[in-house]
Amino acid sequence: MLHTLPLHRFHESIVLPPADIERIQTMGEAPTQIARHAVLRREGETPRHIYLLLDGWVASSVLLPGGERQITKFHLPGDLLGTPSMCLARAADTLTALTPASVSRVPLAAFGDLFMRSSHFAAAMLLSVQRERVALMDRLAAVGRTPALARVAALLLDLAERLGALGGVELSSFELPVTQEQIGDHLGLTAVHVNRIFRQLVDGGLIARHRQRVELLDCARLKAMSARQERAPAADVSWLIGTVGAPA
Amino acid sequence: MLHTLPLHRFHESIVLPPADIERIQTMGEAPTQIARHAVLRREGETPRHIYLLLDGWVASSVLLPGGERQITKFHLPGDLLGTPSMCLARAADTLTALTPASVSRVPLAAFGDLFMRSSHFAAAMLLSVQRERVALMDRLAAVGRTPALARVAALLLDLAERLGALGGVELSSFELPVTQEQIGDHLGLTAVHVNRIFRQLVDGGLIARHRQRVELLDCARLKAMSARQERAPAADVSWLIGTVGAPA
DNA sequence: CGTCATCTTGACCCAGTTCAATATAGGTGG
DNA sequence: CCACCTATATTGAACTGGGTCAAGATGACG
């Protein structure tokens, strides 16, 4: 069943040799089921693992001294979680399940071993981390410089895109298994204000909602008000992996 | 003169073998002097290089469709600039000199070659990028969840720390060659409000200023109000580089 | 069928913005 | 060395997006 690992995040730009795929599939421990609200790893702990999310949603969050929380990322299946903290003595982010989830824990040593053995894996990892960094830059720009409406629109479009990529289809309707408070913590807003923005979006005919399902009714207009940049991944990464020796 | 390259950012956690140091020093082109306000690389361009900052300050910024700007990082000597865009078809960030600066341009191919040849360099690079990612997460939390006063305090402490690390000493006074508008763009504030916060800090006896020089008068109190987390770098990275074969 | 979490909505408030007017200081050409 | 010009800094007054507080409503679940 490990053959069904969602590894798409690893070959977004780089096609890995089969041997590396094999190694990725075996570097993680047996998958664990965790309940909603369960904490995979708390900030402050010594980082000894990273985590491959197989199913469900997980939030990565940072706690401020005053108790405020910033959610740094809503993780979807296929994401590798907790990697930023690998450079620190104590983990910076807490990983909390937003839904029941299935996770494979990966010892840092196993990850490190693969990283050092396979330069192609290392290259894929580098690009993947840089992509996350760009996403963080974009959200910083959104939180620092755009009004609440734009931020919510951007989040909805981002999720639709990422969920669509997971299934390989265009999505205009999806489950959003996240409370409005969590959305607020992700966008630097209050739960109350997130609620009001949703109302505006519904009243404006931009989205529809029943319970946790969201339907994007007018993607074009949403995109216009989201102030979000399109970020096309590098088409040619031969400067990194070379053209010879690269797997077809 | 290449021997004076500030390479400290590369061995924060990992000691590189001399051969790698040698390669780093030769991967960049001859240093170029650029004037204040000069643009090293504009967002939207095809990324073909990264840049090693040898001297001076450079800002990395993202432009929003509405024309608002978010500065993602104030870069100091020793920083490797423009690397996030290596994963994209078009650069996400613009690099602008804040002071006259000296920069060595590094072709992506040269960087890629070193990355693929030296797993130790790759490892150092991975950790370095993850550190930047954590810094971005922390600033996102600051911008999303803390008041202006805390953000400014955090910026001042961060710069004092980074400049201190450059010189190898504790710093409580330094030149801040940055306009208040740029500080605002970095912290998600208005130039006007940055000015008011500075006034509060001065009136409160927390800092002193003459022209662009800032003196931190009460670091303890500044730290308390900054809501900033201490981020100790990983002490042991043997899970990555191993214990055998690692250079002493 | 009670309980707890979440959502909704209203009323009011405030941190930070906007607008505008005035200083200051380099930098430049003469 | 001076006069001028443009970028930056400063400060006041008025405004507003989003926060805070508080009171229901709704729904999932044991």
Side-chain angles (χ1 to χ4, degrees), chain A:
Chain A
M1 103 218 86
L2 278 177
H3 298 214
T4 64
L5 279 183
L7 300 174
H8 59 104
R9 297 301 305 279
F10 291 101
H11 5 173
E12 273 167 316
S13 303
I14 292 180
V15 180
L16 292 173
D20 284 2
I21 301 285
E22 163 77 26
R23 285 191 191 132
I24 292 175
Q25 289 176 338
T26 53
M27 79 177 173
E29 300 173 356
T32 313
Q33 309 301 316
I34 59 175
R36 186 164 109 106
H37 291 156
V39 172
L40 258 172
R41 198 267 312 272
R42 203 174 296 275
E43 59 199 290
E45 293 177 6
T46 304
R48 293 190 221 283
H49 301 88
I50 55 179
Y51 306 83
L52 182 56
L53 181 55
L54 304 175
D55 194 44
W57 294 36
V58 171
S60 162
S61 64
V62 162
L63 215 53
L64 288 163
E68 305 85 0
R69 184 177 54 166
Q70 174 71 47
I71 291 183
T72 57
K73 174 119 186 167
F74 289 139
H75 286 287
L76 304 185
D79 285 356
L80 202 51
L81 325 184
T83 69
S85 296
M86 64 170 57
C87 66
L88 300 174
R90 283 171 299 284
D93 58 331
T94 297
L95 302 170
T96 313
L98 297 169
T99 67
S102 168
V103 176
S104 166
R105 212 169 62 159
V106 179
L108 276 184
F111 168 82
D113 184 63
L114 177 50
F115 185 91
M116 296 301 270
R117 268 184 217 284
S118 163
S119 58
H120 272 79
F121 176 76
M125 192 66 204
L126 175 69
L127 294 183
S128 161
V129 175
Q130 297 287 29
R131 270 192 297 274
E132 293 301 328
R133 200 171 153 198
V134 171
L136 229 27
M137 286 164 46
D138 281 337
R139 192 136 49 83
L140 177 60
V143 171
R145 288 294 182 215
T146 71
L149 195 61
R151 297 184 217 173
V152 174
L155 173 63
L156 294 177
L157 290 169
D158 178 57
L159 288 174
E161 209 169 89
R162 289 168 61 203
L163 287 166
L166 260 182
V169 283
E170 291 277 318
L171 263 188
S172 73
S173 163
F174 54 91
E175 292 291 323
L176 219 190
V178 152
T179 69
Q180 296 179 354
E181 184 180 19
Q182 288 161 342
I183 295 178
D185 285 344
H186 186 265
L187 300 177
L189 297 170
T190 303
V192 173
H193 202 240
V194 169
N195 185 283
R196 293 197 232 269
I197 297 291
F198 270 127
R199 167 135 313 286
Q200 280 186 51
L201 289 171
V202 171
D203 291 351
L206 289 154
I207 68 170
R209 282 188 309 159
H210 324 57
R211 294 244 27 76
Q212 304 227 290
R213 173 158 288 269
V214 177
E215 187 174 357
L216 311 186
L217 299 173
D218 190 341
C219 279
R221 207 137 53 91
L222 275 176
K223 203 166 292 186
M225 57 198 247
S226 74
R228 210 168 63 109
Q229 301 285 334
E230 307 273 348
R231 298 289 181 208
D236 175 15
V237 291
S238 61
W239 58 268
L240 181 55
I241 55 169
T243 45
V244 220

